[in-house]
Amino acid sequence: MTTAPAQAGWRFRQPSVIPGFGLTLGFSLAYLTLIILIPLSGLLWRSAALGWPEFWAIATDRRTIKALEISFGTAFIAAAVNVVFGTLVAWVLVRYRFPGRRIVDAMVDLPFALPTAVAGIALTTLYAPNGWIGKLLMPLGIKVAYTPLGIVIALVFIGLPFVVRTVQPIMEEIDKEVEEAAATLGASRFQIITRILFPGLAPAIVTGFSLAFARGVGEYGSVIFIAGNLPYKSEIAPLLIVIRLEEYNYPAATAIAAIMLALSFVMLLVVNLVQAWSRKRYG
Amino acid sequence: MADPEIKSYEPHHESQSAAVTESRPARLALMAVAFTFLGIFLLLPLIIVFNEALAKGVGAYTQSLSDPDARSAIRLTLLVAAISVPLNIVFGISAAWAIAKFEFKGKAFLTTLIDLPFSVSPVISGLVYVLLFGAQGLLGGWLKAHGIVILFAVPGIVLATVFVTFPFVARELIPLMQEQGNGDEEAALSLGANGWQTFWYVTLPNVKWGLLYGVLLCNARAMGEFGAVSVVSGHIRGLTNTMPLHVEILYNEYNAVGAFAVASLLAGLALVTLVLKTLLEMRYGAEIAATRGH
């Protein structure tokens, strides 16, 4: 970029002997615009066309607010659970050697590969009152399927690989010499973990959290089976969009979708800020 | 993933430095917690799919799969993947070529836009097409006047699938091609190869494993997509039901064996995907971009 001759002035691209720039960029932009940008701007245009009073009425509808609360709340809890267990799983995979480690490592990606509807019915069957796990929890008075807790379970399943796969490569890069140095200087294992290892991993953990959270907020397939879908109780925002669509209530569906997109965008912004802060704080 | 060679000496290294690992009981406890967690959250759901599918014997299982509606759902899923995956391969290669081989203004922004579908709820990915092509949609009237059917038909399902699987191939190829640089292509061009030959004989062989990796993930998602397809499909049995949608219908009809039989095929696909993915990572780790996830 700095090699551009000053007298050439502003240039859209650096000169190159490689052909095909116009063709590939042109095609990519056209495809991107047709498939992604036009449909998405259609959504924004439609919600803008609603007008403020109507938009506000839909946004402040109690059912909408409740659904958004449930979606964001359960996704937050699930992402937090995944931060704890996902980091632990990554640690075990990176630091410990045991037979079948490859298989366990490959298994972590199962939620990426297993269709969400399959995960949904499988989890529901497991956690239903007569299911393998549900049966064990029943005497303890814990109901999972058809409650918000079920949503959290589904989102933990969906979000796990995001945390593991973000934290794992950073863990692999940790230089053991630093730990050795700390140990020789008399630091306890606990101190090494909290003072030396954790700070290095913090940005990756935040990224993993945000990816799992973002995915959880929008998740639909795995949740609707296990949630029970009671309005105000266990109805997630994506489901409310589908319900409004089925009622041919396009304005409401559009408005809820726009709110979800806006909230996700704000969240992404906050995560980026936290990340910048943690990089600065922990280097 | 690091090279296997690097990994292989680690146990030795680990035994040397007891100071930088946890005590044996702590290690065992951590492993126990991790395995229990993975067992409950990953293994059990997988087992129960096959368990339920075969709950009433192999006969009921094969019968569920030979049901005409199940057959047509399988056919539709294969058809949709056969259209949308190649489309995204062409896009992925084209976008990676433009982004990795050239320096131009707005490149970072373009890369961000390509990732956009990953941060949109699948339901919204379907909704945008309903708003565009639906009866009340922006183009709905025009389409109707010209007798073109997109929504609640195969084209709509393909579009929604293309939308959700859009980034897979591109985001696998872009970092890989960036890492490889332009040296090989410049050499080929200076030796007189034309652009197409350069791509076909130089670039493509360099990225083939990465490409396969991206295609694998793209295909798994294309065949398994539920939310987006559910919104645009209309759920017409035997016509616009893909496998995941058929699973939902059967499940809601309390036909557990039928639902899990179709689900077991999808779970099988997921397992095959994972095995191939792991093999690719083990054998060609260096030729696959380091970025993972999704």
Side-chain angles (χ1 to χ4, degrees), chain A residues 1 10-14 16-21 23-25 27-29 31-32 34-40 42-43 45-46 81-82 85-86 88-89 91-92 94-98 101-102 104-118 121-127 132-133 146 153 156-157 160 162 165 168 172 176 179-180 183 189 192-193 211 215 218-221 224-225 238 241-242 245 248 250-251 253-254 257 260-261 264, chain B residues 1-2 4 7 10-11 13-14 17 19-22 26-27 30-31 33-35 37-38 40-49 51-52 84 87-88 90-91 94-95 97-98 101-105 110 113-114 116-117 119-124 127-132 134-138 159 162-163 166 182 185-186 189 195 220-221 224 226-227 230-231 244 247-248 251-252 259-260 263 266-267 270-271 273-274 277-278 281-282 292-294:
Chain A
M1 279 147 260
W10 190 88
R11 259 178 199 280
F12 173 57
R13 75 161 169 126
Q14 299 282 304
S16 164
V17 294
I18 296 183
F21 178 72
L23 177 72
T24 54
L25 186 71
F27 174 76
S28 303
L29 284 179
Y31 189 78
L32 178 78
L34 278 178
I35 300 284
I36 310 288
L37 298 182
I38 290 179
L40 269 182
L43 172 74
W45 188 78
R46 286 287 286 251
V81 171
N82 274 329
F85 287 97
L88 173 64
V89 168
W91 181 258
V92 167
V94 171
R95 285 302 177 94
Y96 303 159
R97 291 296 166 267
F98 49 89
R101 196 181 60 89
R102 272 266 179 223
V104 177
D105 190 85
M107 275 288 290
V108 170
D109 279 334
L110 181 72
F112 285 155
L114 194 71
T116 52
V118 177
I121 62 169
L123 290 170
T124 310
T125 310
L126 279 176
Y127 288 93
W132 292 352
I133 299 176
Y146 320 120
I153 295 283
V156 168
F157 173 85
L160 178 70
F162 288 93
R165 295 304 183 218
Q168 200 177 10
E172 274 164 2
K176 280 198 175 172
E179 286 171 71
E180 276 162 20
R189 190 66 195 151
I192 293 175
I193 289 171
L211 290 174
R215 175 69 201 264
E219 180 54 25
Y220 176 71
I224 53 160
F225 295 98
I241 294 177
V242 173
L245 264 182
Y248 298 102
Y250 283 29
T254 312
M260 279 188 73
L261 283 179
S264 304
Chain B
M1 292 300 296
K7 286 241 163 107
E10 266 182 67
H13 180 87
E14 202 170 25
S17 45
V20 293
T21 187
E22 291 73 41
R27 252 185 309 180
L30 289 179
M31 279 165 80
V33 173
F35 292 154
F37 179 81
L38 292 177
I40 291 176
F41 274 92
L42 300 184
L43 202 55
L44 277 184
L46 197 58
I47 293 172
I48 198 124
V49 170
N51 186 66
E52 295 292 308
S84 44
L87 279 176
N88 280 336
V90 173
F91 164 74
S94 157
W97 184 272
K101 300 286 173 203
F102 300 93
E103 289 299 330
F104 58 93
K105 298 271 189 300
L110 179 60
L113 283 183
I114 291 175
L116 204 57
S119 39
V120 173
S121 170
V123 167
I124 297 178
L127 170 72
V128 292
Y129 290 111
V130 175
L131 294 180
L132 212 53
Q136 308 177 31
L138 298 173
L159 275 174
V162 168
F163 187 109
F166 186 81
N182 292 352
E185 283 79 7
E186 280 161 2
L189 289 164
R221 182 70 193 266
F226 178 75
S230 164
V231 171
V247 167
E248 183 198 20
Y251 186 82
N252 287 340
F260 278 101
L266 290 168
L271 287 178
T273 304
L274 286 185
K277 181 173 170 296
T278 309
E281 281 164 8
M282 279 166 74
R292 299 177 67 188
H294 298 287

Side-chain angles (χ1 to χ4, degrees), chain B residues 194-207:
Chain B
N194 66 30
W196 179 249
Q197 287 169 324
T198 306
F199 168 73
W200 194 253
Y201 294 109
V202 176
T203 309
L204 201 56
N206 275 344
V207 301

Side-chain angles (χ1 to χ4, degrees), chain A residues 2-261:
Chain A
T2 46
T3 54
Q7 65 268 30
W10 190 88
R11 259 178 199 280
F12 173 57
R13 75 161 169 126
Q14 299 282 304
S16 164
V17 294
I18 296 183
F21 178 72
L23 177 72
T24 54
L25 186 71
F27 174 76
S28 303
L29 284 179
Y31 189 78
L32 178 78
T33 308
L34 278 178
I35 300 284
I36 310 288
L37 298 182
I38 290 179
L40 269 182
S41 19
L43 172 74
L44 298 181
W45 188 78
R46 286 287 286 251
S47 55
L50 283 177
W52 188 243
E54 196 183 348
F55 185 88
W56 187 248
I58 298 165
T60 54
D61 175 51
R62 218 169 72 78
R63 194 165 163 191
T64 310
I65 292 178
K66 237 9 217 185
L68 287 168
E69 266 177 32
I70 292 165
S71 273
F72 281 83
T74 52
F76 189 90
I77 297 169
V81 171
N82 274 329
V83 159
V84 175
F85 287 97
T87 309
L88 173 64
V89 168
W91 181 258
V92 167
L93 286 173
V94 171
R95 285 302 177 94
Y96 303 159
R97 291 296 166 267
F98 49 89
R101 196 181 60 89
R102 272 266 179 223
I103 298 172
V104 177
D105 190 85
M107 275 288 290
V108 170
D109 279 334
L110 181 72
F112 285 155
L114 194 71
T116 52
V118 177
I121 62 169
L123 290 170
T124 310
T125 310
L126 279 176
Y127 288 93
N130 58 351
W132 292 352
I133 299 176
K135 219 167 16 193
L136 301 176
L137 297 174
M138 212 41 183
L140 307 173
I142 305 171
K143 265 196 79 187
V144 178
Y146 320 120
T147 70
L149 191 55
I151 305 177
V152 173
I153 295 283
L155 296 183
V156 168
F157 173 85
I158 290 298
L160 178 70
F162 288 93
V163 176
V164 178
R165 295 304 183 218
T166 323
V167 175
Q168 200 177 10
I170 310 295
M171 262 182 195
E172 274 164 2
E173 278 168 25
I174 293 178
D175 192 354
K176 280 198 175 172
E177 278 172 25
V178 185
E179 286 171 71
E180 276 162 20
T184 18
L185 290 171
S188 71
R189 190 66 195 151
F190 181 75
Q191 281 174 319
I192 293 175
I193 289 171
T194 52
R195 297 274 184 90
I196 294 173
L197 295 177
F198 179 74
L201 295 174
I205 292 178
V206 173
T207 308
F209 175 88
S210 65
L211 290 174
F213 183 41
R215 175 69 201 264
V217 166
E219 180 54 25
Y220 176 71
S222 61
V223 172
I224 53 160
F225 295 98
I226 201 167
N229 306 326
L230 288 172
Y232 307 107
K233 283 219 169 74
S234 56
E235 184 179 69
I236 53 166
L239 176 67
L240 190 56
I241 294 177
V242 173
I243 291 174
R244 294 302 185 223
L245 264 182
E246 280 168 0
E247 294 167 352
Y248 298 102
N249 188 348
Y250 283 29
T254 312
I256 300 167
I259 295 167
M260 279 188 73
L261 283 179

Side-chain angles (χ1 to χ4, degrees), chain B residues 13-293:
Chain B
H13 180 87
E14 202 170 25
S15 61
Q16 265 187 334
S17 45
V20 293
T21 187
E22 291 73 41
S23 65
R24 199 177 149 75
R27 252 185 309 180
L28 290 178
L30 289 179
M31 279 165 80
V33 173
F35 292 154
T36 312
F37 179 81
L38 292 177
I40 291 176
F41 274 92
L42 300 184
L43 202 55
L44 277 184
L46 197 58
I47 293 172
I48 198 124
V49 170
F50 294 100
N51 186 66
E52 295 292 308
L54 296 166
K56 288 185 183 149
V58 181
Y61 177 76
T62 48
Q63 204 186 342
S64 312
L65 291 183
S66 50
D67 174 73
D69 288 342
R71 288 270 154 128
S72 96
I74 295 169
R75 269 198 303 275
L76 181 59
T77 291
L78 293 176
L79 173 71
V80 169
I83 300 172
S84 44
V85 174
L87 279 176
N88 280 336
I89 292 177
V90 173
F91 164 74
I93 291 175
S94 157
W97 184 272
I99 288 173
K101 300 286 173 203
F102 300 93
E103 289 299 330
F104 58 93
K105 298 271 189 300
K107 196 158 109 163
F109 183 61
L110 179 60
T111 316
T112 313
L113 283 183
I114 291 175
D115 268 349
L116 204 57
F118 277 155
S119 39
V120 173
S121 170
V123 167
I124 297 178
S125 313
L127 170 72
V128 292
Y129 290 111
V130 175
L131 294 180
L132 212 53
F133 301 123
Q136 308 177 31
L138 298 173
L139 300 174
W142 186 87
L143 288 174
K144 199 163 182 203
H146 290 76
I148 304 171
V149 182
I150 291 182
L151 223 51
F152 311 128
V154 177
I157 298 175
V158 170
L159 275 174
T161 307
V162 168
F163 187 109
V164 292
T165 58
F166 186 81
F168 281 101
V169 178
R171 70 182 275 147
E172 181 58 38
L173 286 183
I174 292 168
L176 181 63
M177 281 167 64
Q178 270 172 339
E179 208 178 293
Q180 289 177 344
N182 292 352
D184 289 358
E185 283 79 7
E186 280 161 2
L189 289 164
S190 71
L191 291 171
N194 66 30
W196 179 249
Q197 287 169 324
T198 306
F199 168 73
W200 194 253
Y201 294 109
V202 176
T203 309
L204 201 56
N206 275 344
V207 301
K208 60 175 183 285
W209 298 116
L211 178 62
L212 185 61
Y213 191 86
V215 170
L216 205 63
L217 301 183
C218 182
N219 179 64
R221 182 70 193 266
M223 290 191 171
E225 178 52 29
F226 178 75
V229 170
S230 164
V231 171
V232 297
S233 125
H235 305 269
I236 307 162
R237 271 179 107 121
L239 275 181
T240 63
N241 253 348
T242 60
M243 285 165 78
L245 298 181
H246 197 57
V247 167
E248 183 198 20
I249 287 191
L250 294 174
Y251 186 82
N252 287 340
E253 287 171 349
Y254 302 102
N255 180 355
V257 170
F260 278 101
V262 179
S264 73
L265 294 183
L266 290 168
L269 168 77
L271 287 178
V272 169
T273 304
L274 286 185
V275 169
L276 290 178
K277 181 173 170 296
T278 309
L279 288 179
L280 277 178
E281 281 164 8
M282 279 166 74
R283 288 213 47 184
Y284 305 103
E287 293 163 63
I288 292 171
T291 48
R292 299 177 67 188

